[in-house]
Amino acid sequence: MENSVNENVTQASVGSQSNLLDGLSALGLLGGAIAAAVTSNVAAGTIPVAAAVGLHLVNRRQLAEQMLQNQQTATAQVIEQINQHQAALTDYLQKFQQETGDRLDQQQQTQTSHQQSLNEALAQQNEQLQQQLTSLQEQSQQVVEAEAQRHQELVAVVNELHHMENCSHSLEAAPQADAYYQRGLSHQNLGDRPEALCDFSTAIRLDAELAGAYFQRGIIYAELGDRKPAVEDLRQAAKLFFDQGDLEQYDRARELGKEFYDLQEPFSGDTAKKEEVPVAGSEDDEAPHFQPLLVEEINVTAESLFS
């Protein structure tokens, strides 16, 4: 607005000067005409006219110069305004680019954070699924092993039953101490202690020198809590093993009978006790091992039987 006011003032000043010069030129022309009419001398009349023309030319020249200067001034002002607008526009563009860049960076950070969180969640889920898969595989392996163990036990039971059947067929032909002894071992392995006692006793009645029958019967008595007959059978087994030259079994029977005899509790004499205890040589209290049990495989102690 200040520039417009200055421009208006300048134009007014120029206009005033132009009007003044035009007035002087008109006076010069009028004066020349009057002088020529009064003096009847044309030469005298041309002097004021020339002066008026000169003044007019000077006026027009000054006016043109002033207009050129005004145009230059206006042009400079326009250029300055353009520069100011361009600077303002440049500043706005810079701010806009900065804000846009900040927003893009923030969006990129947010996206990166969400992607990282998603990756962590997926990794955690993958780990959990892997753990579940591992657990299922372990459970499946345990089931397979358990089924394999049951299968082996069933096979062992079937083998023992076949062995008992063969022994029974042999006994149908003729009573034999060894057949009763072998069938008693099968009964013992299957957990049928009363039948095992019966077969071992029958084997001893048929062959009083069958050391293994005394040994196994003593073990069963010990398992049932009848320690007095257990000690007697183990002592008799040790004597027979010694007479037969089986020193290893002699030492076993002797040490086991001594341990039973040295126990602090008195013998109960309760031969009808039917508590379930592990099979001799077994370490699994939940299910007996149905493997064929030979005399050489017996490894029991007084602690395991009477504790």
Side-chain angles (χ1 to χ4, degrees), residues 124-135 137:
Q124 185 176 3
Q125 290 180 357
N126 187 25
E127 183 178 358
Q128 292 176 354
L129 291 175
Q130 188 65 32
Q131 292 177 355
Q132 292 178 359
L133 179 60
T134 302
S135 178
Q137 290 176 346

Side-chain angles (χ1 to χ4, degrees), residues 252-270:
R252 288 183 179 181
R254 180 174 175 276
E255 291 298 327
L256 195 58
K258 185 175 182 301
E259 289 181 13
F260 294 165
Y261 182 79
D262 291 340
L263 289 176
Q264 296 297 326
E265 294 83 2
F267 293 110
S268 63
D270 184 9

Side-chain angles (χ1 to χ4, degrees), residues 113-127:
S113 178
H114 289 169
Q115 185 67 32
Q116 184 176 0
S117 300
L118 180 61
N119 292 336
E120 291 177 355
L122 290 176
Q124 185 176 3
Q125 290 180 357
N126 187 25
E127 183 178 358

Side-chain angles (χ1 to χ4, degrees), residues 226-240:
D226 297 333
R227 280 175 280 180
K228 182 175 182 180
V231 171
E232 292 176 353
D233 278 351
L234 288 172
R235 285 180 175 177
Q236 182 64 24
K239 178 179 180 301
L240 293 174

Side-chain angles (χ1 to χ4, degrees), residues 64-181:
E65 290 179 353
Q66 189 65 36
M67 289 178 64
L68 179 61
Q69 184 177 0
N70 292 337
Q71 289 178 356
Q72 290 177 350
T73 302
T75 302
Q77 292 176 354
V78 170
I79 292 174
E80 183 178 0
Q81 290 178 357
I82 291 173
N83 292 334
Q84 290 177 356
H85 288 302
Q86 186 175 3
L89 181 60
T90 301
D91 185 57
Y92 175 77
L93 289 176
Q94 290 178 352
K95 290 182 179 179
F96 178 76
Q97 291 176 352
Q98 182 67 30
E99 292 177 357
T100 303
D102 293 341
R103 291 178 182 177
L104 289 176
D105 291 340
Q106 185 176 2
Q107 290 179 356
Q108 185 67 27
Q109 292 177 358
T110 303
Q111 184 178 3
T112 302
S113 178
H114 289 169
Q115 185 67 32
Q116 184 176 0
S117 300
L118 180 61
N119 292 336
E120 291 177 355
L122 290 176
Q124 185 176 3
Q125 290 180 357
N126 187 25
E127 183 178 358
Q128 292 176 354
L129 291 175
Q130 188 65 32
Q131 292 177 355
Q132 292 178 359
L133 179 60
T134 302
S135 178
L136 290 175
Q137 290 176 346
E138 292 177 354
Q139 293 177 2
S140 299
Q141 183 64 26
Q142 292 175 357
V143 170
V144 171
E145 292 176 356
E147 291 298 327
Q149 179 66 26
R150 292 191 185 96
H151 177 71
Q152 293 178 357
E153 292 177 355
L154 290 176
V155 170
V157 170
V158 171
N159 291 334
E160 292 293 345
L161 293 175
H162 281 306
H163 184 257
M164 291 170 58
E165 185 178 3
N166 293 333
C167 293
S168 297
H169 287 317
S170 298
L171 292 173
E172 290 177 359
Q176 300 176 15
D178 185 65
Y180 279 107
Y181 172 67

